[in-house]
Amino acid sequence: MSEPLDALLIGRNIRDLRTRQGMTLEALAVAIERAPSQVSALENGKRAPRVIQLQQIATALGVSLDALLTPEPLSDRSSKELEIERAQRNGMYASLGLPEMKLSKGLSEGVLDTILGLQKEVERLHLLKAATPEEARRANSALRQEMREVNNYYADLEAQAKELHALIGHTTGPLSERLTAELANKLGFTLHYVSDLPASTRSVTDTKNGRIFLPVRREGREGRDPRTALLQALSAHVLKFSEPTNYEEYLNQRVQSNYLAGALLIPESSAVPFLTQAKEQRELSVEDLRDMFAVGYEVAAHRFSNLATVHLDIPVHFLKVHESGTLAKAYENDKVAFPTDVFGAVEGQIVCRNWSARRVFSIDDRFTPYHQYTDKPSGTYWCTSRIQSSPQGDFSISVGTPFASVKWFRGRDTNIRHRSECPDSSCCREAPAELTAKWDEGVRPVPKINSSLLAALPRNGILGVDQREILEFLEAHEPTN
């Protein structure tokens, strides 16, 4: 895809070419049969130029279209002026309520440097102020919209996974721990399992000495796959991530590294034929995908959501819900309505008690998949759910699809069915009138204090990791020659 035209840069180039030729604004306007005010708007970058207009301007100025679109390198002063103009066009400057500043030739270089310095400091303070849960939720909402538009499938990351598989000669089936370690070695890293890994990290990569530190494996932790943390660390290296400067970058990096790790664990070339055959037999099952590739249920559910729509033509939704009912992760392209806050974010919202993701917690049998139909305001959906334990508590992992697509799945014959009217508060959040009348004046609960309310901002940047602890850790493990 070609880059969009930079209206401000092209406008400045038009003005420079015109003045160098001694042509007035009015003369150029006459030559292209436009009003002088329209030409002025183009030169000031306030109107995006159309290609046909650029061709007319190039002809009037006696230059090629390429010369108009690829200006000569700007002088140091012009670069500063352009940066100041750009800053005045963004929403942050508008929110300050300041008038637009005209940049005249009489302004000295020192004044321009001062203006730029002030602008950068305002931007820094704005980012600091914006580093809140609200900003994170907005970034999450935007990312979820992007994932929906591409059906949660990223072809470039699939191609990257294929190249990495080729690097170690992996062609089909599960990716073994041996091959995972070999991939790290091929990428220039040695692995070191330690008992003192900083508590705020899942792994630490020492790029200076080509070493990756991972926690000593503790048996018996359900859902902990020793390959996952290593593959995520390798993915961040392969994708050349730098330290994120805002939540949007952080979330995008996390999604990309998780996606690439999942694509390495469950190769597209093996998974698609496996799922296609299961669909033909009307036996699609997340459990089978998990068992086929020897991964955790959450990894299998995530990977199924990557491949289901693009390769199987099945719209899906995915949820990870804490035992408290709080939604931790979600994705959908099947128009199911997740609970949202005023920013449109779903993370942290409470899922309806009648959804499969909540009902599964009441089932004693944790070995058998739980299947349920739910009649929702947006239609009837079928869902399969499982519970996964972690140090943070129990979570349900759910994959669902609209009623029209359930014919392809094992478990479609369940007779469990519930109705949800959420977000209508009378569905499961509002107490019945008789209970409210009886207990309205007779109850005084003491809520748990949510620690995030007391520390909304991470103290150590976007990642929230303890930088000093990490550097002291690396210093303690510095190799001696």
Side-chain angles (χ1 to χ4, degrees):
M1 182 179 293
S2 60
E3 294 294 322
L5 297 179
D6 187 330
L8 198 57
L9 187 59
I10 291 175
R12 179 174 286 273
N13 192 38
I14 293 172
R15 186 178 64 189
D16 288 349
L17 288 170
R18 176 180 59 78
T19 54
R20 261 182 273 161
Q21 295 184 21
M23 181 183 290
T24 65
L25 183 77
E26 290 74 15
L28 179 58
V30 170
I32 65 172
E33 299 181 347
R34 291 289 186 275
S37 59
Q38 292 178 311
V39 177
S40 177
L42 287 173
E43 290 190 350
N44 290 324
K46 293 181 178 180
R47 175 178 294 179
R50 292 182 297 172
V51 173
I52 189 170
Q53 287 179 324
L54 292 176
Q55 290 173 333
Q56 292 172 338
I57 292 171
T59 299
L61 295 175
V63 298
S64 67
L65 183 59
D66 284 343
L68 205 62
L69 296 176
T70 54
E72 296 179 4
L74 297 175
S75 66
D76 185 54
R77 180 184 178 90
S78 292
S79 296
K80 291 175 182 178
E81 291 177 348
L82 193 63
E83 190 174 351
I84 292 172
E85 287 186 44
R86 287 192 200 284
Q88 292 187 76
R89 303 292 171 88
N90 65 32
M92 187 195 69
Y93 186 90
S95 69
L96 299 175
L98 299 174
E100 183 178 347
M101 181 174 57
K102 303 295 183 182
L103 299 178
S104 65
K105 294 181 179 179
L107 289 176
S108 68
E109 291 277 344
V111 171
L112 292 179
D113 289 338
T114 299
I115 293 170
L116 273 177
L118 288 171
Q119 284 181 341
K120 290 177 180 178
E121 179 62 13
V122 169
E123 288 175 2
R124 187 188 72 81
L125 293 174
H126 177 75
L127 287 174
L128 184 63
K129 182 180 178 182
T132 64
E134 286 75 20
E135 193 263 349
R137 286 195 287 270
R138 288 190 182 94
N140 247 328
S141 299
L143 180 58
R144 201 170 63 255
Q145 173 64 27
E146 175 194 304
M147 294 166 68
R148 185 185 303 117
E149 289 173 353
V150 298
N151 291 316
N152 201 20
Y153 178 86
Y154 293 88
D156 56 333
L157 296 178
E158 298 287 354
Q160 187 75 68
K162 188 175 181 179
E163 290 180 12
L164 293 173
H165 282 140
L167 189 63
I168 53 176
H170 181 65
T171 56
T172 186
L175 182 69
S176 66
E177 289 188 39
R178 180 187 65 80
L179 283 177
T180 306
E182 185 176 333
L183 178 60
N185 183 257
K186 291 283 189 180
L187 294 174
F189 292 99
T190 56
L191 305 182
H192 302 265
Y193 292 88
V194 297
S195 58
D196 60 339
L197 193 74
S200 60
T201 66
R202 297 190 65 190
S203 67
V204 173
T205 301
D206 175 4
T207 56
K208 177 182 176 182
N209 297 295
R211 304 195 300 173
I212 296 178
F213 294 94
L214 297 155
V216 173
R217 188 188 310 181
R218 292 179 174 85
E219 300 296 340
R221 283 194 174 183
E222 185 180 345
R224 294 278 180 151
D225 188 329
R227 297 170 297 173
T228 303
L230 173 56
L231 289 175
Q232 288 171 341
L234 293 175
S235 296
H237 168 74
V238 169
L239 297 172
K240 297 180 172 58
F241 288 154
S242 57
E243 184 172 350
T245 58
N246 54 51
Y247 278 116
E248 182 180 2
E249 287 183 18
Y250 166 67
L251 293 174
N252 273 285
Q253 289 184 6
R254 186 179 69 174
V255 165
Q256 290 182 55
S257 61
N258 287 347
Y259 190 107
L260 183 52
L264 288 167
L265 287 168
I266 305 179
E268 181 180 30
S269 59
S270 301
V272 172
F274 176 78
L275 292 172
T276 301
Q277 182 179 9
K279 181 186 177 185
E280 291 172 353
Q281 297 171 347
R282 301 190 177 221
E283 286 288 316
L284 280 173
S285 166
V286 177
E287 285 79 11
D288 286 356
L289 187 65
R290 174 201 61 188
D291 297 341
M292 176 67 182
F293 292 95
V295 296
Y297 189 83
E298 183 176 352
V299 172
H302 261 301
R303 193 66 177 131
F304 184 82
S305 75
N306 297 151
L307 304 173
T309 305
V310 170
H311 291 291
L312 306 177
D313 197 28
I314 298 175
V316 293
H317 64 268
F318 166 90
L319 300 92
K320 182 177 182 179
V321 177
H322 188 257
E323 56 190 321
S324 64
T326 305
L327 189 54
K329 295 180 183 177
Y331 160 76
E332 59 82 19
N333 67 354
D334 60 0
K335 299 183 180 179
V336 69
F338 292 137
T340 63
D341 64 10
V342 294
F343 300 107
V346 302
E347 290 74 17
Q349 300 304 297
I350 302 299
V351 170
C352 177
R353 294 170 183 263
N354 297 319
W355 285 19
S356 171
R358 294 285 300 277
R359 286 279 178 175
V360 67
F361 287 107
S362 65
I363 305 302
D364 293 330
D365 181 3
R366 294 198 173 185
F367 291 96
T368 304
Y370 177 76
H371 309 302
Q372 175 184 311
Y373 289 98
T374 309
D375 297 314
K376 304 176 182 180
S378 55
T380 297
Y381 292 82
W382 173 89
C383 204
T384 179
S385 300
R386 263 195 179 275
I387 294 177
Q388 178 173 290
S389 298
S390 77
Q392 292 75 40
D394 286 350
F395 288 85
S396 67
I397 308 297
S398 305
V399 172
T401 193
F403 183 80
S405 298
V406 73
K407 59 187 177 182
W408 310 115
F409 289 82
R410 184 188 307 150
R412 61 187 177 275
D413 55 349
T414 181
N415 57 9
I416 301 174
R417 190 167 192 146
H418 293 279
R419 173 172 290 278
S420 170
E421 299 295 341
C422 284
D424 187 335
S425 60
S426 65
C427 176
C428 63
R429 288 179 289 131
E430 192 175 277
E434 60 272 18
L435 288 182
T436 302
K438 179 179 179 180
W439 292 102
D440 191 34
E441 300 297 331
V443 61
R444 185 178 293 118
V446 177
K448 291 182 179 179
I449 297 297
N450 188 338
S451 61
S452 65
L453 296 177
L454 306 178
L457 295 176
R459 295 181 58 197
N460 300 290
I462 297 297
L463 297 180
V465 296
D466 191 326
Q467 188 72 3
R468 175 173 175 171
E469 183 182 21
I470 293 171
L471 296 181
E472 288 177 345
F473 166 82
L474 289 175
E475 185 69 18
H477 288 273
E478 177 78 13
T480 56
N481 296 323

